[in-house]
Amino acid sequence: MGTKARDNTRTLLALGAAAALALTLSSCSSGSGSSGGGAKSITLITGVKSDPFYITMTCAAQAEAKAKGVGFTADGSAQWDVSVQRPLIDSAAAARPAGLLVSPVDTTALTPSLKQIQNAGTKIGLVDTSVTDPSIGITRISSDNVKGGQVAADALAKQMGEKGSVIVISVKPGVSTTDDRIKGFTQGMAKYPGIKVIPTLYDNDLPATAASQIQSTLAAHPDLGGVFAGNTNTAQGIATGLKQAGKQGAVKVVAFDAEPDEVTALKANTIQVLVAQDPAAIGAQAVDQLVASFDGKPVTASIGTTMVPITQQNMNDPSISKYFYKAAC
Ligand code: T6T
């Protein structure tokens, strides 16, 4: 069985069983290599750098780079926006690191920049999000987001007693991870004829937008029984919007990720299920793959990492709470 298939099986087992820094990324560096430039240096450019998902990924990548004795620098986009992330990628290119790990915020718009860096000899690894051009990158490491969306659909249908209207609120179209989650969720919901799926709304990764979107959806669809939140910021906004409308607990929420505010909302029963990813494993394994390529060793083209559904019932189990994301290293 390949690594991805094996990890997917592990994921399914974990999911089945449960069915029932402000890190200053821009100043983060470590290791003995010459940071940002020399023969053995890795640069990580994430999506939104204040997002605990990427903080957790960065902390683990930094620790792994230190353990492997390679230089490491990291930065991330201030917003989920191509025009904000592109200059970071271009300036990383100018430093010509041996390796670049990147979570592109769009599946196509950043491809020309990445191609240029790759053609100049930098080994690229795609972490979490990816681009559609298969020639970019020597390794891609992420959750199986389609599977995660399917799991979210089953969990939400169960919470809703398989009836009512449901909506997905997500980041924006053209993001590989969240597009896959919506795809999986839509496939999963097709099994439940009693549930009507309302067209997806996009919040541009802004909690305030998600909060107002959930309130206008409630007004337009009084039978709204459930929401699937595509990521952390979306989930935070939905939790706020439902609380303001006095609908927490009445409208069921299944959300991707497990950052501190989502965990608080789970405790308060404003969110019923979190689908946690393993961003630390993504970061550490990505560094391992690039170091293998520096050493002329085999590299795994595609690695799937674990996802775990978290509920009030299992959230205090240390084997589950270890998946909570960090807000600092
Ligand atoms: O859900 C994660 C990540 O997987 C996705 O690509 C973007 O949003 C997050 O960072 C969480 O906010």
Side-chain angles (χ1 to χ4, degrees), residues 18 31 38 66 76 106 119 132 143 147 162 176 190 203 205 242 274 327:
K66 192 172 182 193
D106 187 90
N119 290 344
T132 43
S143 308
K147 171 57 69 188
E162 299 188 16
S176 64
D203 59 16
D205 209 36
L242 287 177
L274 298 176

Side-chain angles (χ1 to χ4, degrees), residues 51 53-54 80 128-129 175 177 181 230-233 257 277:
D51 181 333
F53 174 87
Y54 290 119
W80 198 278
D128 179 46
T129 49
V175 179
T177 48
R181 290 169 201 167
N231 79 335
T232 59
N233 281 345
D257 300 306
Q277 306 185 74

